[in-house]
């Protein structure tokens, strides 16, 4: 019999039943309900620091900040071990591992049984979206990891008020996280969409175990959205204010580590600031989107914080993200300066290691590190893991939108898709219709990054940046997008664009300056939305006239170069279209792919083959 450390903070029978069942299975020594009180967080932080699980950073320069190191075999999401467990295999779909739910429950129960022995079980009630909000949903995560409790506190709304809002309802996602021995061979990240259930075992890393994020807010929620008439997308939300105009909101889907956090927190170039342009961040990773009473699509950011990529984040590349990490943040797998107890990562620019002092830093694995260190194969050793991350409260962000906190859904005027494409895909183009936009999103490709395990730098198809996050069959997901368009009056449909910040020259350097200068591309979109400029009609959609992208104040970048990255090269697109057809064929087993999209793939090939 477990010793309850504090009393249940709900009388909801379904919640209590779920908790009892997990106690029976996991056999913790103690049980603690996370009620959202400061006392509990302070107690848990002290405990984690005492155990060496967390390192407290410099209280003066990084107040309330902690460092955590994961096991070297547990540093990213693991797509190969992520499962959608729907009753029928055809409902899980094509881009995913599937397993029969009963078989998977049996396997997981076997792995987890008794694994909390000697430990405390934490029960985390959390709301994705503001507690009680019109688009919000509730989950309960059970874990023995203080790292998870402290991160969930930042990433979601956590506490007793969530259970109060739930009342007697059974409408909550049941989540269990069992760290076990962090054995990668027995690691499973499983979603059971038909049961509103998530189970993660043998990991203690971010996206695998902070279940509100990818497991719930994308995999489970995309399935809920399909059934309930809304959408859960891997999209940032930003607001742009032009002088004398209302703020316009846009959502953008880029694959992991391809610039969502950067774009969401963009600082406009000086020439735009001088004109009075302002950018506000609503979210940097996930959007929940629902039709509003006026027929437009409205979005919220269901999260409460950012789980952002650390390396490369500096004052110049993302000032707002950097500032967000200055208090009450948790760093995962970054390096630390043991003298100052401040975090460090590659290209942070501040406190760059001093070559004369070789013991300057401690790397993400806890070992001494100095610049230029190489491993036995002569490969450079990084101080911070390439997928090291910060967990930062959204309220820390200097440009957080005033609508974020109360969670007011914002009307969306544009959807932007994009990925890392060294060739072929122009800087920006616009879909000619909603369904053309669905087609463009569905054929998205990107070079892989360190955000997931596996080879880095290979182009793979990543529809709507959702490849790792679909909670149901990808073809049904495309159909859902088409239907959401049908339900939205044409004049109220968001315009759909595709961007590519990552075109490279023959030496492999990025051609477009990117980052804050992406404002110039967003500005073109605003002008298109308001009907202020024409565009070139091409085989893939509307491409800007170079004169309509404002290059004021951009040194060393000519209109000629811009023209080069706006070109639609028919030969390259012929290969692309053939690749798309092959890709579609892999999805179309059982004839599930919407005919509208299959026809568009044929039409594209025909247009670029002329
Ligand atoms: P997840 O949190 O993994 O979903 O990713 P994210 O899309 O939020 O990624 P993030 O914004 O953290 O992207 C980080 C990577 O994108 C870094 O390598 C940046 O240098 C790079 N990046 C972001 N914006 C730009 C840009 O405009 N141009 C170029 N060349 N690189 C960019
Ligand atoms: C991503 O990989 O897209 C992330 C980080 O946003 S994680 O939460 O680990 O999935
Ligand atoms: Mn993401």
């Amino acid at each position: 019999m477990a010793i309850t450390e504090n009393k249940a903070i709900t009388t909801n029978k379904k919640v209590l039943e779920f908790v009892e069942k997990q106690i029976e299975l996991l056999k913790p020594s103690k049980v603690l309900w996370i009620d959202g009180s400061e006392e509990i967080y302070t107690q848990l932080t002290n405990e984690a620091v005492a155990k060496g699980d967390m390192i407290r950073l410099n209280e003066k320069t990084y107040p309330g900040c902690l460092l955590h190191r994961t096991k070297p075999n547990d540093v990213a999401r693991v797509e190969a071990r992520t499962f959608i467990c729907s009753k029928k295999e055809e409902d899980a779909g094509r881009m995913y591992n599937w397993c029969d739910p009963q078989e998977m429950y049996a396997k997981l129960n076997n792995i987890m049984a008794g694994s909390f022995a000697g430990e405390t079980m934490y029960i985390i009630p959390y709301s994705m979206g503001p507690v009680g909000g019109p688009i919000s949903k509730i989950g309960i995560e059970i874990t023995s990891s203080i790292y998870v409790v402290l991160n969930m506190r930042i990433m979601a709304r956590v506490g007793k008020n969530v259970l109060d809002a739930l009342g007697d309802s059974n409408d909550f996602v049941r989540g269990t996280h069992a760290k076990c021995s962090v054995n990668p061979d027995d690691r499973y990240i499983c979603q059971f969409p038909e049961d509103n259930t998530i189970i993660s075992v043998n990991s203690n890393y971010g996206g695998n175990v902070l279940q509100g994020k990818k497991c719930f807010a994308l995999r489970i929620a995309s399935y809920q959205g399909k059934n309930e008439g809304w959408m859960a997308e891997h999209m940032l939300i930003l607001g742009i204010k032009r002088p004398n105009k209302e703020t316009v909101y846009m959502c953008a889907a880029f694959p992991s580590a391809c610039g969502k956090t950067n774009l969401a927190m963009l600082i406009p170039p000086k020439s735009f600031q001088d004109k009075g342009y302002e950018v506000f961040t609503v979210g940097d990773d996930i959007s929940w989107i629902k039709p509003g009473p006026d027929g437009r699509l409205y979005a919220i950011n269901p999260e409460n914080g950012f789980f952002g990529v650390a390396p490369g984040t500096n004052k110049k590349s993302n000032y707002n993200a950097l500032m967000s990490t200055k208090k009450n943040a948790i760093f995962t797998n970054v390096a630390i300066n043991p003298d100052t107890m401040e975090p460090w990562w590659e290209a942070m620019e501040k406190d760059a290691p001093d070559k004369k002092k070789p013991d300057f830093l401690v790397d993400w694995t806890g070992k001494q590190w100095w610049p230029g260190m190489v491993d036995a194969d002569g490969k450079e050793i990084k101080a911070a893991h390439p997928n090291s991350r910060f967990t930062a409260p959204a309220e820390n962000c200097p440009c957080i939108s005033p609508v974020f906190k109360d969670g007011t859904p914002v009307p969306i005027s544009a959807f932007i898709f994009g990925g890392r494409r060294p060739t072929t895909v122009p800087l920006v183009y616009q879909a000619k219709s909603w369904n053309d936009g669905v087609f463009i999103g569905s054929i998205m490709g990107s070079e892989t990054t360190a955000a997931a395990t596996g080879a880095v730098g290979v182009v793979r198809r990543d529809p709507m940046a959702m490849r790792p996050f679909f909670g149901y069959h990808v073809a049904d997901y495309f159909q859902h997008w088409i239907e959401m368009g049908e339900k939205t009056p044409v004049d109220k449909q968001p315009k759909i664009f595709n961007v590519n910040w990552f075109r490279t020259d023959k030496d492999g350097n990025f051609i477009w300056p990117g980052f804050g200068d992406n404002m110039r591309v967003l500005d073109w979109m605003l002008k298109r939305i308001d009907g202020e400029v024409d565009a070139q009609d091409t085989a893939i959609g509307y491409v800007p006239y170079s004169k309509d992208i404002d290059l004021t104040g951009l040194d060393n970048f000519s209109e000629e170069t811009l023209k080069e990255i706006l070109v639609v090269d028919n030969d390259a697109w012929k290969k692309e279209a053939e690749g798309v057809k092959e890709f579609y064929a892999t999805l179309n087993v059982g004839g599930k792919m919407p005919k509208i999209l299959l026809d568009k793939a044929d039409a594209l090939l025909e247009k670029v083959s002329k």
Side-chain angles (χ1 to χ4, degrees):
M1 182 63 192
I3 306 155
T4 306
E5 279 219 320
N6 62 1
K7 278 204 202 109
I9 51 176
T10 179
T11 53
N12 181 312
K13 285 203 178 68
K14 295 289 172 190
V15 172
L16 295 173
E17 260 169 38
F18 168 59
V19 168
E20 277 311 313
K21 239 176 106 184
Q22 299 314 93
I23 292 176
E24 220 165 275
L25 173 71
L26 301 162
K27 308 224 183 309
S29 304
K30 296 180 186 172
V31 176
L32 189 70
W33 291 77
I34 305 300
D35 59 9
S37 68
E38 282 304 314
E39 295 74 36
I40 284 191
Y41 292 131
T42 307
Q43 179 197 318
L44 293 184
T45 305
N46 291 341
E47 213 178 300
V49 169
K51 275 199 281 195
D53 205 24
M54 293 273 192
I55 298 169
R56 226 185 271 280
L57 299 181
N58 188 319
E59 268 301 329
K60 240 189 173 147
T61 50
Y62 285 87
C65 291
L66 299 164
L67 167 68
H68 174 79
R69 299 184 184 123
T70 65
K71 288 221 164 142
N73 73 27
D74 188 32
V75 294
R77 285 182 291 99
V78 278
E79 290 171 20
R81 309 205 62 90
T82 300
F83 287 77
I84 298 296
C85 307
S86 48
K87 284 194 188 89
K88 290 195 223 139
E89 181 169 5
E90 71 214 50
D91 289 336
R94 296 323 298 169
M95 306 204 82
Y96 244 99
N97 300 315
W98 170 84
C99 182
D100 173 76
Q102 294 319 318
E103 192 183 314
M104 189 53 96
Y105 282 129
K107 186 191 297 221
L108 296 172
N109 285 350
N110 193 29
I111 295 173
M112 293 192 286
S115 72
F116 281 25
E119 299 191 40
T120 306
M121 179 170 114
Y122 305 108
I123 304 158
I124 312 170
Y126 64 94
S127 173
M128 298 311 289
V131 179
I135 307 184
S136 302
K137 294 228 172 227
I138 288 172
I140 298 204
E141 178 164 357
I142 282 178
T143 181
S144 66
S145 163
I146 296 181
Y147 172 75
V148 168
V149 176
L150 297 180
N151 274 277
M152 285 296 283
R153 172 206 192 176
I154 299 173
M155 295 307 297
R157 279 87 167 174
V158 171
K160 181 175 182 307
N161 59 340
V162 173
L163 289 170
D164 294 344
L166 182 66
D168 292 332
S169 168
N170 189 25
D171 186 11
F172 65 96
V173 170
R174 290 142 165 83
T176 305
H177 163 230
K179 197 166 67 173
C180 302
S181 56
V182 200
N183 173 3
D185 299 330
D186 255 343
R187 185 167 297 154
Y188 291 96
I189 314 303
C190 299
Q191 287 68 206
F192 303 79
E194 290 143 353
D195 300 343
N196 264 350
T197 294
I198 303 165
I199 302 175
S200 327
V201 298
N202 275 303
S203 173
N204 199 32
Y205 175 80
N208 295 332
V209 299
L210 307 179
Q211 293 181 342
K213 199 172 178 56
K214 299 297 159 77
C215 305
F216 182 170
L218 289 179
R219 299 194 188 105
I220 298 280
S222 62
Y223 173 81
Q224 293 175 328
K226 161 85 174 165
N227 294 328
E228 297 166 10
W230 54 281
M231 303 155 93
E233 300 296 334
H234 193 201
M235 289 180 171
L236 66 89
I237 311 170
L238 89 173
I240 311 175
K241 173 100 183 71
R242 287 202 285 175
N244 308 318
K245 300 230 181 196
E246 301 236 322
T247 304
V248 169
Y249 294 93
M250 301 180 172
C251 290
F254 308 150
S256 303
C258 290
K260 286 184 301 302
T261 304
N262 279 94
L263 190 68
M265 300 180 190
L266 171 148
I267 297 179
K270 179 147 190 325
S271 61
F272 282 78
Q273 287 181 33
D274 291 347
K275 278 190 231 155
Y277 280 65
E278 286 179 275
V279 170
F280 302 100
T281 309
V282 182
D284 82 324
D285 198 46
I286 298 175
S287 299
W288 282 1
I289 303 156
K290 223 180 203 174
D294 62 358
R296 291 185 72 183
L297 293 176
Y298 284 77
I300 64 159
N301 167 14
E303 302 190 276
N304 200 31
F306 312 122
F307 187 59
V309 178
T313 305
N314 59 50
K315 267 197 184 140
K316 243 182 94 194
S317 70
N318 198 341
Y319 171 84
N320 289 313
L322 191 70
M323 289 306 119
S324 307
T325 67
K326 294 294 180 185
K327 61 176 181 195
N328 303 326
I330 297 173
F331 297 88
T332 304
N333 294 339
V334 302
I336 183 172
N337 178 331
D339 294 333
T340 62
M341 294 306 277
E342 291 182 338
W344 193 86
W345 50 78
E346 274 66 23
M348 189 194 210
E349 278 175 8
K350 191 179 162 270
D351 288 342
D354 182 345
K355 285 193 178 145
K356 289 185 218 109
K357 251 177 102 184
D359 58 347
F360 194 77
L361 288 182
V362 173
D363 74 8
W364 69 275
T365 65
K367 292 197 205 74
Q368 286 198 343
W369 181 92
W370 57 91
M373 247 177 112
V374 289
D375 65 15
D377 303 327
K379 227 178 106 215
E380 183 194 350
I381 297 177
K382 305 263 191 210
H385 187 276
N387 192 37
S388 56
R389 299 225 170 207
F390 53 81
T391 317
E395 64 181 21
N396 284 0
C397 181
C399 61
I400 195 74
S401 164
V403 299
F404 166 77
K405 243 191 158 162
D406 54 6
T408 315
V410 293
I412 298 304
S413 299
F415 286 124
I416 306 171
F417 296 116
R420 289 178 186 257
R421 296 300 304 264
T423 64
T424 315
V425 179
L427 176 65
V428 58
Y429 64 104
Q430 182 187 353
K432 292 186 174 180
S433 65
W434 175 271
N435 282 344
D436 275 3
V438 177
F439 174 66
I440 288 169
S442 78
I443 68 169
M444 256 172 74
S446 192
E447 285 193 343
T448 49
T449 67
T453 50
V456 168
V458 186
V459 172
R460 69 164 186 175
R461 299 280 157 201
D462 189 347
M464 279 85 166
M466 282 287 282
R467 183 182 178 120
F469 310 120
F470 292 116
Y472 61 102
H473 198 293
V474 57
D476 295 334
Y477 167 91
F478 293 152
Q479 182 61 31
H480 183 48
W481 261 85
I482 292 169
E483 284 168 19
M484 290 301 292
E486 283 165 359
K487 280 189 223 156
T488 312
V490 173
D491 62 323
K492 301 202 162 141
Q493 288 170 348
K495 302 281 182 278
I496 301 182
F497 299 88
N498 193 86
V499 298
N500 179 19
W501 317 137
F502 299 93
R503 281 288 282 262
T504 50
D505 62 19
K506 57 180 185 340
D507 301 320
N509 302 310
F510 295 121
I511 299 171
W512 176 247
F515 300 97
D517 288 309
N518 292 333
M519 183 67 234
R520 301 171 193 277
V521 173
L522 299 182
D523 180 52
W524 179 76
M525 295 177 189
L526 293 174
K527 291 185 201 151
R528 288 293 295 167
I529 292 165
D530 285 351
E532 294 168 22
V533 291
D534 288 335
Q536 311 175 56
D537 191 343
T538 78
I540 60 172
Y542 298 123
V543 172
Y545 289 109
S546 56
K547 67 173 174 49
D548 291 327
I549 294 193
D550 185 347
L551 297 178
T552 313
L554 193 53
D555 297 335
N556 307 319
F557 191 89
S558 66
E559 195 173 330
E560 284 315 303
T561 312
L562 177 61
K563 279 184 184 157
E564 278 170 33
I565 54 173
L566 289 175
V567 158
V568 179
D569 174 348
N570 276 359
D571 288 340
W573 273 95
K574 185 160 178 274
K575 275 201 206 103
E576 185 76 9
E578 283 161 357
V580 165
K581 288 193 58 159
E582 276 168 32
F583 172 60
Y584 271 11
T586 65
L587 304 183
N588 200 24
V589 178
K592 272 203 162 200
M593 276 293 287
K595 184 167 180 305
I596 292 174
L597 296 182
L598 294 171
D599 289 349
K600 285 196 190 291
D602 290 338
L604 174 64
L605 183 58
E606 202 183 301
K607 273 186 260 176
V608 293
S609 298
K610 272 182 196 150

